[in-house]
């Protein structure tokens, strides 16, 4: 099967890619959940941790929030399309976004790395772009992406390069994370939540640009109708273009470029967009050829539940046990893999008797209300 993907296959494709993105996001998030960056007082790595950090920067970091954001844009383009086709206004969409924001706020109270509130804040703007032409949407998307990239990253990298590098002294170890729930939660409310929301206003410009690319892809059904040849060429091209940036990352970690934090960050960001495109194209090709990826499909169908569960099964036990900053990056990697495997089995079991995951069901009820069975 290599033709355009039909309706039921389309949903499977998005679920599979979403499940894959969920795995990558957890790998990215778990160092900050465990406090692995604080093992040595600042984010320096040695031995196996240095290998893991380098591989993360090359193949994981920034790749998966890009995919997740793209799928968000695709999903809500479909949601808006169906709403407008039924003659509805954007009010149901706004309600859905508000509920997502509330999920995000509750999650943010526990962990500062929450992305849901950022998605809600910037996703609220999508209806303003929906009726624009494809050219206008792409113009906005590219302008926001490149504008945020040069404003937030290139200027800092140029200054760093002119100064011959910069020293990152790191931040003091947050001892409050190991002082019990009460002290930790006060710190979260008084310091970290405000900082996280402020950060969302900056990084959200890039997120919105990716939403708009997703809006265009969803509207034009690009992943569903693009030829296998076109997908293959794009995957190869993006992978090849990422190679020079891999060289910069290796130089930063192993070749004496450790003082160039912003230069490395640019390499991670650009390779992130390129490899995210490669990953999406490769999974689309595989689904076209009949691959099912059932564990990833199950993870993707319950992505919201699994994403929130990551925090519940990692952050809360770490704080309760006073174990923040005591596990290495390598140990965190194996822990995250074990949790993802357990989640895949649980998701497949749950979906045998339920159509939606627990939090997906709550989100749906909040959006549509309770549905009576006929």
């Amino acid at each position: 099967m290599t033709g355009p993907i039909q309706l039921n296959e389309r949903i499977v494709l998005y679920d599979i890619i979403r499940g894959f993105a969920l795995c990558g996001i957890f790998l990215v998030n778990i160092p900050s959940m465990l406090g692995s960056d604080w093992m040595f007082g600042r984010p320096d790595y040695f031995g196996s941790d240095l290998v893991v950090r380098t591989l993360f920067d090359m193949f994981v970091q920034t790749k998966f929030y890009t995919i997740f954001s793209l799928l968000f844009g695709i999903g809500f383009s479909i949601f808006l399309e169906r709403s407008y086709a039924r003659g509805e206004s954007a009010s149901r969409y706004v309600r859905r976004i508000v509920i997502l924001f509330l999920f995000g706020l509750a999650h943010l109270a526990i962990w500062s790395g929450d992305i849901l509130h950022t998605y809600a804040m910037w996703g609220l703007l999508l209806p303003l772009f929906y009726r624009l032409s494809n050219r206008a949407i792409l113009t906005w998307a590219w302008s926001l992406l490149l504008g945020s990239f040069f404003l937030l990253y290139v200027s800092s990298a140029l200054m760093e390069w002119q100064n011959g590098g910069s020293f990152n002294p790191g931040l003091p170890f947050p001892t409050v994370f190991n002082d019990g729930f009460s002290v930790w939660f006060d710190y979260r409310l008084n310091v970290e939540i405000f900082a996280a929301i402020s950060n969302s206003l900056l990084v959200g410009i890039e997120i919105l640009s990716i939403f708009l690319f997703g809006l265009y892809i969803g509207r034009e059904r690009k992943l569903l109708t693009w030829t296998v040849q076109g997908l293959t060429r794009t995957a190869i091209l993006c992978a090849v273009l990422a190679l020079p940036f891999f060289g910069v990352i290796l130089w930063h970690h192993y070749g004496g470029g450790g003082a160039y934090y912003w230069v490395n960050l640019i390499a991670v960001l650009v390779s992130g967009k390129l490899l995210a495109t490669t990953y999406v194209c490769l999974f689309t090709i595989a689904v076209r050829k009949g691959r099912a990826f059932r564990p990833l499909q199950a993870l993707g169908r319950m992505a919201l539940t699994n994403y929130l569960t990551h925090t519940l099964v990692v952050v809360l036990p770490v704080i309760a046990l006073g174990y923040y900053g005591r596990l290495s990056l390598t140990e965190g990697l194996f822990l995250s893999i074990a949790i993802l495997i357990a989640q895949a089995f649980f998701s497949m079991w749950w979906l045998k008797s339920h159509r939606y995951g627990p939090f997906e069901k709550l989100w749906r009820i909040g959006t549509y209300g309770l549905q009576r069975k006929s």
Side-chain angles (χ1 to χ4, degrees), residues 207-227:
I207 296 294
L208 178 60
S209 73
I210 303 172
F211 285 174
L212 293 176
F213 283 116
L215 183 63
Y216 166 74
I217 291 171
R219 173 191 285 182
E220 293 299 303
R221 309 292 195 267
K222 284 296 183 182
L223 291 182
L224 316 180
T225 59
W226 208 355
T227 65

Side-chain angles (χ1 to χ4, degrees), residues 29-244:
N29 287 344
I30 201 164
S32 62
M33 288 179 168
L34 294 174
S36 300
D37 286 348
W38 301 102
M39 286 288 293
F40 308 105
R42 54 185 293 252
D44 289 339
Y45 299 99
F46 306 92
S48 63
D49 279 2
L50 179 58
V51 174
V52 172
R53 179 71 265 166
T54 304
L55 292 176
F56 272 18
D57 281 358
M58 293 172 67
F59 300 107
V60 181
Q61 197 78 29
T62 77
K63 284 68 176 174
F64 291 94
Y65 82 77
T66 299
I67 299 175
F68 225 65
S69 302
L70 191 72
L71 290 171
F72 184 97
I74 292 173
F76 277 100
S77 75
I78 295 172
F79 186 93
L80 286 169
E81 178 184 337
R82 291 174 176 172
S83 294
Y84 292 142
R86 292 192 296 263
E88 299 174 353
S89 66
S91 59
R92 195 185 300 274
Y93 173 83
V94 172
R95 187 191 313 164
R96 189 166 177 81
I97 286 292
V98 169
I99 295 169
L100 183 68
F101 183 70
L102 294 176
F103 276 137
L105 281 184
H107 190 221
L108 189 60
I110 302 174
W111 183 55
S112 58
D114 171 75
I115 195 64
L116 301 181
H117 74 284
T118 306
Y119 279 9
M121 289 166 59
W122 291 92
L124 197 61
L125 300 178
L126 280 182
L128 302 177
F129 296 90
Y130 183 79
R131 298 190 186 278
L132 297 181
S133 67
N134 288 337
R135 174 175 291 185
I137 289 174
L138 288 177
T139 299
W140 272 103
W142 279 112
S143 299
L144 290 170
L145 180 63
L146 295 176
S148 64
F149 180 72
F150 280 96
L151 179 65
L152 299 177
Y153 305 108
V154 173
S155 57
S156 298
L158 288 174
M159 185 179 301
E160 180 182 69
W161 189 265
Q162 292 172 351
N163 293 333
S166 59
F167 176 72
N168 175 22
L171 297 172
F173 182 87
T175 56
V176 293
F177 279 42
N178 289 329
D179 289 341
F181 276 112
S182 178
V183 177
W184 163 75
F185 194 67
D186 286 343
Y187 178 80
R188 298 280 304 117
L189 292 179
N190 296 327
V191 179
E192 288 196 329
I193 289 180
F194 177 78
I197 293 178
S198 301
N199 185 59
S200 296
L201 297 175
L202 292 176
V203 302
I205 300 173
E206 178 193 352
I207 296 294
L208 178 60
S209 73
I210 303 172
F211 285 174
L212 293 176
F213 283 116
L215 183 63
Y216 166 74
I217 291 171
R219 173 191 285 182
E220 293 299 303
R221 309 292 195 267
K222 284 296 183 182
L223 291 182
L224 316 180
T225 59
W226 208 355
T227 65
V228 170
Q229 292 78 10
L231 289 164
T232 303
R233 285 195 296 268
T234 301
I236 294 173
L237 175 62
C238 289
V240 171
L241 290 175
L243 293 177

Side-chain angles (χ1 to χ4, degrees), residues 20 24 59 141 196 232 264 280 295 301 336 346 373:
F20 177 64
F59 300 107
T232 303
N264 179 67
V280 169
R301 284 180 62 186
S336 62
F346 175 79
K373 293 183 179 180

Side-chain angles (χ1 to χ4, degrees), residues 10-21:
R10 177 190 70 191
I11 297 172
V12 169
L13 171 64
Y14 293 162
D15 285 338
I16 290 170
I17 297 175
R18 190 180 297 108
F20 177 64

